[in-house]
Amino acid sequence: QEFQFGPCRVEGVVLQELWEAFWAMKDIVQAKDNITNVRLLRKEVLQNVSNAESCYLIRALLKFYLNTVFKNYQDKAADFRVRKSFSTLANNFVVIVSKLQPSQENEMFSVSDSARRRFLLFQRAFKQLDIEAAQTKAFGEVDILLTWMEKFYQL
Amino acid sequence: DGVAILPAPQNLSVQSTNMKHLLTWSPVMVPGEIIYYFVEYQGEYESLYMSHVWIPSSWCSPTKGPECDITDDITATVPYNLRVRATQGSETSAWSTLKPPFNRNSTILTPPGMDVTKDGFHLVIKLEDLGSQFEFLVAYWRREPGAKEHVKVVRSRGIPVHLETMEPGAAYCVKVQTFVKAIGRHSPFSQAECVKVQGETLPL
């Protein structure tokens, strides 16, 4: 059981554990999202991503989640169960990012650039919202992210 | 925080076997007093991105004994910082922090228990239930020169699994090892266990 994002292979993360961690927080997190007519991880970001692109894209997305979306979340998460589940999710994202080593070679430029443009679509949409609202919405969309990641998970 | 008169717990260490992790420490002794301990943890994410954040252990905030089952708290294959402090009434000790941090990929993996039986001519194995993180690699062969070793990956736990339909009069041997997906490691193989089918002919 491992992730295979194109050339990038990630072992040591059990997808089911990520789902269980998110499900434990889902209602609390998504209930705080009042902006219902906006979706950050929309089709243009995640649809028809080639295998080659996937390693670049998932790395950019997970780093953004770790650095920006999850920032200060532990301080706001009063509920102990949520803090524990959040820690599981965040630490497993750290594992995945640490194992993603996308190729930096020139011939991969067009692929990485395509992945970068997809990520920028997401980031721009994120920046158009107030930071707290954007963090809450992006956090609530982790199920969209995990559903997309599932395509690259091999049992 | 109360003034740190109470000594901090010492000799923190983790014993981890088959993905069960037990944090232990030397008890703080105060004659005639009951001491409680609080255990907290932070994974690599917390220590990298928000080092002030510590999460109370699921089962040991507080606890009376000088040990804590932290298995449910360690949910990623990253280094975890663990700390313990003692309390007695309103008095609170300083924190003691485990050095070095604990990573579950260091757990000791032992060969699993197994029960090899015959059900008529069927070779059946029942494996120890070690939890959802474990898979089993079962190797079995007919005990004769040049016999081919067959391998089966078993994910079910604690229920009999059919391996082979045996030839009358033949002996078959089995050995098994575990595989833990979350850390990508195998246990050593168990000792081989062999069974023999009596010489009756197969029923038509």
Side-chain angles (χ1 to χ4, degrees):
Chain A
Q1 294 182 344
E2 60 187 30
F3 285 106
Q4 192 77 52
F5 296 104
C8 300
R9 186 161 156 257
V10 177
E11 285 180 311
V13 174
V14 181
L15 183 57
Q16 182 61 26
E17 289 175 1
L18 304 193
W19 274 116
E20 284 160 11
F22 181 70
W23 286 330
M25 306 185 280
K26 177 180 164 76
D27 294 341
I28 291 172
V29 170
Q30 293 182 344
K32 292 177 178 163
D33 182 6
N34 307 317
I35 307 170
T36 53
N37 62 331
V38 170
R39 176 163 154 170
L40 304 177
L41 288 171
R42 55 186 201 267
K43 277 187 293 185
E44 295 82 351
V45 179
L46 293 180
Q47 208 166 52
N48 304 323
V49 175
S50 69
N51 257 348
E53 275 181 274
S54 62
C55 187
Y56 297 98
L57 183 55
I58 187 64
R59 188 163 182 266
L61 286 170
L62 292 188
K63 287 181 78 171
F64 187 82
Y65 266 82
L66 289 170
N67 290 305
T68 306
V69 176
F70 290 164
K71 196 170 186 179
N72 306 324
Y73 185 80
Q74 279 287 25
D75 296 324
K76 292 178 276 185
D79 178 321
F80 160 70
R81 239 175 353 100
V82 169
R83 294 181 68 189
K84 190 174 143 47
S85 299
F86 170 78
S87 181
T88 298
L89 194 65
N91 279 289
N92 277 286
F93 277 11
V94 167
V95 174
I96 296 172
V97 168
S98 70
K99 299 192 174 185
L100 294 170
Q101 312 285 340
S103 157
Q104 302 303 324
E105 284 156 26
N106 289 338
E107 67 257 25
M108 292 302 283
F109 175 77
S110 64
V111 171
S112 64
D113 192 52
S114 170
R116 196 171 64 82
R117 272 184 275 116
R118 287 175 184 276
F119 171 71
L120 290 177
L121 282 177
F122 164 76
Q123 192 181 41
R124 257 183 239 120
F126 183 93
K127 287 186 172 177
Q128 280 162 11
L129 301 178
D130 153 77
I131 180 71
E132 285 236 359
Q135 284 177 319
T136 298
K137 176 166 284 299
F139 201 144
E141 291 186 359
V142 162
D143 52 0
I144 298 172
L145 185 59
L146 292 178
T147 301
W148 178 72
M149 290 168 69
E150 200 149 28
K151 294 176 191 169
F152 302 89
Y153 194 65
Q154 298 167 0
L155 288 174
Chain B
D1 276 349
V3 174
I5 299 171
L6 205 54
Q10 299 300 313
N11 307 315
L12 272 62
S13 73
V14 173
Q15 287 81 50
S16 176
T17 303
N18 291 333
M19 297 297 269
K20 301 288 185 210
H21 322 307
L22 187 68
L23 173 67
T24 62
W25 57 87
S26 302
V28 171
M29 310 300 279
V30 177
E33 296 294 343
I34 297 178
I35 303 295
Y36 288 94
Y37 303 94
F38 286 80
V39 177
E40 295 184 345
Y41 67 91
Q42 58 174 202
E44 187 173 16
Y45 172 77
E46 285 80 17
S47 56
L48 283 177
Y49 290 87
M50 38 182 63
S51 54
H52 63 287
V53 169
W54 289 81
I55 301 167
S57 169
S58 300
W59 307 111
C60 314
S61 271
T63 182
K64 282 174 84 170
E67 62 179 45
C68 174
D69 184 343
I70 55 172
T71 303
D72 290 346
D73 301 323
I74 308 295
T75 53
T77 307
V78 292
Y80 275 79
N81 288 319
L82 294 150
R83 69 180 185 181
V84 185
R85 72 176 170 185
T87 66
Q88 177 227 314
S90 64
E91 284 184 43
T92 300
S93 79
W95 289 104
S96 284
T97 302
L98 177 75
K99 290 279 191 290
F102 170 70
N103 190 320
R104 66 181 182 182
N105 61 14
S106 64
T107 194
I108 295 167
L109 294 178
T110 62
M114 67 176 178
D115 186 17
V116 179
T117 56
K118 300 176 288 188
D119 178 3
F121 289 95
H122 297 295
L123 179 61
V124 175
I125 188 170
K126 189 174 172 188
L127 294 157
E128 179 183 6
D129 184 350
L130 290 168
S132 63
Q133 297 187 320
F134 285 77
E135 291 178 356
F136 301 89
L137 194 133
V138 181
Y140 57 97
W141 61 95
R142 181 168 165 160
R143 193 168 64 188
E144 61 183 14
K148 180 174 183 287
E149 183 176 276
H150 303 279
V151 172
K152 179 176 267 193
V153 175
V154 174
R155 290 196 173 102
S156 55
R157 308 189 316 265
I159 56 173
V161 174
H162 175 268
L163 292 180
E164 175 92 291
T165 301
M166 301 184 280
E167 299 278 337
Y172 290 78
C173 298
V174 183
K175 64 180 181 180
V176 62
Q177 70 177 164
T178 61
F179 176 67
V180 180
K181 302 157 278 191
I183 59 175
R185 280 182 43 216
H186 292 88
S187 74
F189 267 107
S190 63
Q191 291 286 322
E193 274 189 37
C194 301
V195 293
K196 184 170 184 183
V197 186
Q198 299 320 313
E200 307 91 344
T201 57
L202 273 178
L204 292 177

